[in-house]
Amino acid sequence: MSSTVATGFARRIPEGEDRERLVCNDCGFIAYENPKIVVGSVVGVDGQVLLCRRAIAPRRGFWTIPAGYMEMGETVEEGARREAREEACADLALDGVLAVYSIARLGQVQVLFRASLASPGFAAGAESLEVRLFAWEDIPWDDLAFPSVHWVLHAWREAGAGPLGAPRGNPAEDARGTRPLEGA
Amino acid sequence: MSSTVATGFARRIPEGEDRERLVCNDCGFIAYENPKIVVGSVVGVDGQVLLCRRAIAPRRGFWTIPAGYMEMGETVEEGARREAREEACADLALDGVLAVYSIARLGQVQVLFRASLASPGFAAGAESLEVRLFAWEDIPWDDLAFPSVHWVLHAWREAGAGPLGAPRGNPAEDARGTRPLEGA
């Protein structure tokens, strides 16, 4: 972090607004802080699910679905397919939004797809230690990286192979995504 | 905009990354640019739909659904209900995600709900000139503010009153949200 950048800003309520913003003391420039979008996919292959073991912080060594921050200039679908290429060297076919989760604690919205492999093959990308298929009963539940990985795997299981209903929201017991990691 | 803030930054590819970022020339601080999330609702009342005539730019005087930028610390559902309170003085009950649209041109993702009034009554908020219910055949199609308002009204009509299927994505003819406003 940069003191060069940060010292010029203070939190105050700009004229005509109703909440605190980061405002430059010199010029009044407002640095809006916005929630960030994570895009990702539950990839099913013959009833098994593809998981990546994280090579990077946070939660290095733990298992997750291929997912990451959406970039400017792409769609949610393009972002989800890019993340699978980067993390699992996998070429996905998406068949719909499986879940939209809010992690209010982190200022994060997750748009997660149901997907299959568009062409065979996968491998660990630079951000993964390992990429594997797991049968449902072999999923390493105690070694999943994030609560939302639990949530979306169960949503995937419940959806079966049929048409997707409305995407799941957060589970009732963590409706605002405010629980810490241990609350998975 | 602030020259104080902006002159210190240049676009370059930071070490370990694969694309250009805004990087501070002094300290290397990376100012990530992320897509922004718009949350909103199609509000049905006895088969009619609630629309707001915009009091602010862009597209002042044109009609839209209650929607706006999601704030930090809220869920998508809370954001959609807040926007309806602010723009239409309406208290909503949400019953699911109707559509997830990407407007790649703007770096924007829209998460749009199907909703009804949780308690009766609505009125123009500070950002609206007027709030009205329209029967389907009376919707001012030529005076809608944005292409995605067209898209989501048709998604709402097609969904009827039944359970929501998977949320609609962009229409095929504008799959990446790259068309200008006139392409509505």
Side-chain angles (χ1 to χ4, degrees):
Chain A
M1 293 293 291
S2 155
S3 59
T4 313
V5 172
T7 52
F9 285 85
R11 288 196 175 277
R12 60 182 180 82
I13 301 178
E15 201 177 313
E17 299 230 19
D18 64 350
R19 65 190 69 209
E20 285 194 346
R21 307 287 185 188
L22 269 178
V23 184
C24 177
N25 292 322
D26 288 331
C27 67
F29 174 84
I30 302 173
Y32 285 96
E33 298 165 291
N34 299 102
K36 292 187 179 61
I37 304 168
V38 165
V39 284
S41 307
V42 178
V43 187
V45 182
D46 299 331
Q48 296 189 299
V49 64
L50 182 146
L51 295 177
C52 307
R53 201 152 72 85
R54 291 173 62 84
I56 55 172
R59 303 289 276 169
R60 186 177 195 278
F62 288 80
W63 293 89
T64 187
I65 61 170
Y69 285 112
M70 185 178 173
E71 295 280 356
M72 293 295 289
E74 66 185 9
T75 65
V76 285
E77 291 84 0
E78 290 167 347
R81 297 187 70 228
R82 177 183 50 73
E83 289 291 341
R85 280 197 304 275
E86 292 177 1
E87 299 183 354
C89 305
D91 178 20
L92 299 193
L94 307 182
D95 73 340
V97 176
L98 182 58
V100 176
Y101 297 135
S102 300
I103 317 294
R105 181 174 62 91
L106 304 176
Q108 194 181 91
V109 171
Q110 303 186 353
V111 178
L112 304 178
F113 292 84
R114 185 171 71 179
S116 57
L117 291 178
S119 55
F122 55 84
E127 296 178 6
S128 302
L129 297 169
E130 188 181 353
V131 176
R132 266 193 56 182
L133 296 177
F134 288 94
W136 182 256
E137 56 274 17
D138 297 329
I139 289 173
W141 296 105
D142 293 339
D143 294 320
L144 296 182
F146 308 110
S148 56
V149 181
H150 285 255
W151 304 348
V152 79
L153 288 174
H154 283 96
W156 176 82
R157 173 80 160 179
E158 285 161 30
L164 291 168
R168 315 302 168 95
N170 291 24
E173 64 272 21
D174 195 7
R176 305 190 67 254
T178 49
R179 290 194 184 187
L181 264 184
E182 301 69 44
Chain B
M1 292 292 292
S2 156
S3 60
T4 313
V5 172
T7 52
F9 285 85
R11 288 197 175 275
R12 59 184 180 82
I13 301 179
E15 200 178 313
E17 299 228 20
D18 64 350
R19 67 190 69 210
E20 285 195 346
R21 307 287 185 189
L22 270 178
V23 184
C24 176
N25 292 322
D26 289 329
C27 68
F29 175 85
I30 302 172
Y32 285 98
E33 297 165 290
N34 299 103
K36 291 186 179 60
I37 304 168
V38 165
V39 285
S41 307
V42 179
V43 186
V45 181
D46 298 331
Q48 296 190 300
V49 64
L50 181 148
L51 295 177
C52 308
R53 202 153 71 85
R54 292 173 63 84
I56 55 172
R59 304 287 276 166
R60 186 177 196 279
F62 288 80
W63 294 89
T64 187
I65 60 170
Y69 286 112
M70 185 179 173
E71 295 279 357
M72 293 295 289
E74 67 185 8
T75 66
V76 285
E77 292 84 359
E78 289 167 349
R81 299 187 69 227
R82 176 184 52 72
E83 289 293 340
R85 280 196 306 274
E86 291 177 1
E87 299 182 354
C89 306
D91 178 20
L92 299 192
L94 307 182
D95 73 341
V97 176
L98 182 59
V100 176
Y101 297 134
S102 299
I103 316 295
R105 180 175 63 92
L106 303 176
Q108 193 180 91
V109 171
Q110 302 186 352
V111 178
L112 305 178
F113 292 84
R114 185 171 70 179
S116 57
L117 291 179
S119 55
F122 56 85
E127 297 177 7
S128 303
L129 297 169
E130 187 182 354
V131 176
R132 266 194 54 184
L133 295 178
F134 289 94
W136 182 257
E137 55 275 16
D138 297 330
I139 289 174
W141 297 105
D142 293 339
D143 293 320
L144 295 182
F146 308 110
S148 57
V149 180
H150 285 255
W151 304 348
V152 78
L153 288 174
H154 283 96
W156 176 81
R157 173 81 160 178
E158 285 161 30
L164 290 168
R168 314 302 166 94
N170 291 25
E173 64 273 21
D174 196 5
R176 305 190 67 255
T178 49
R179 290 194 186 187
L181 265 182
E182 300 70 45

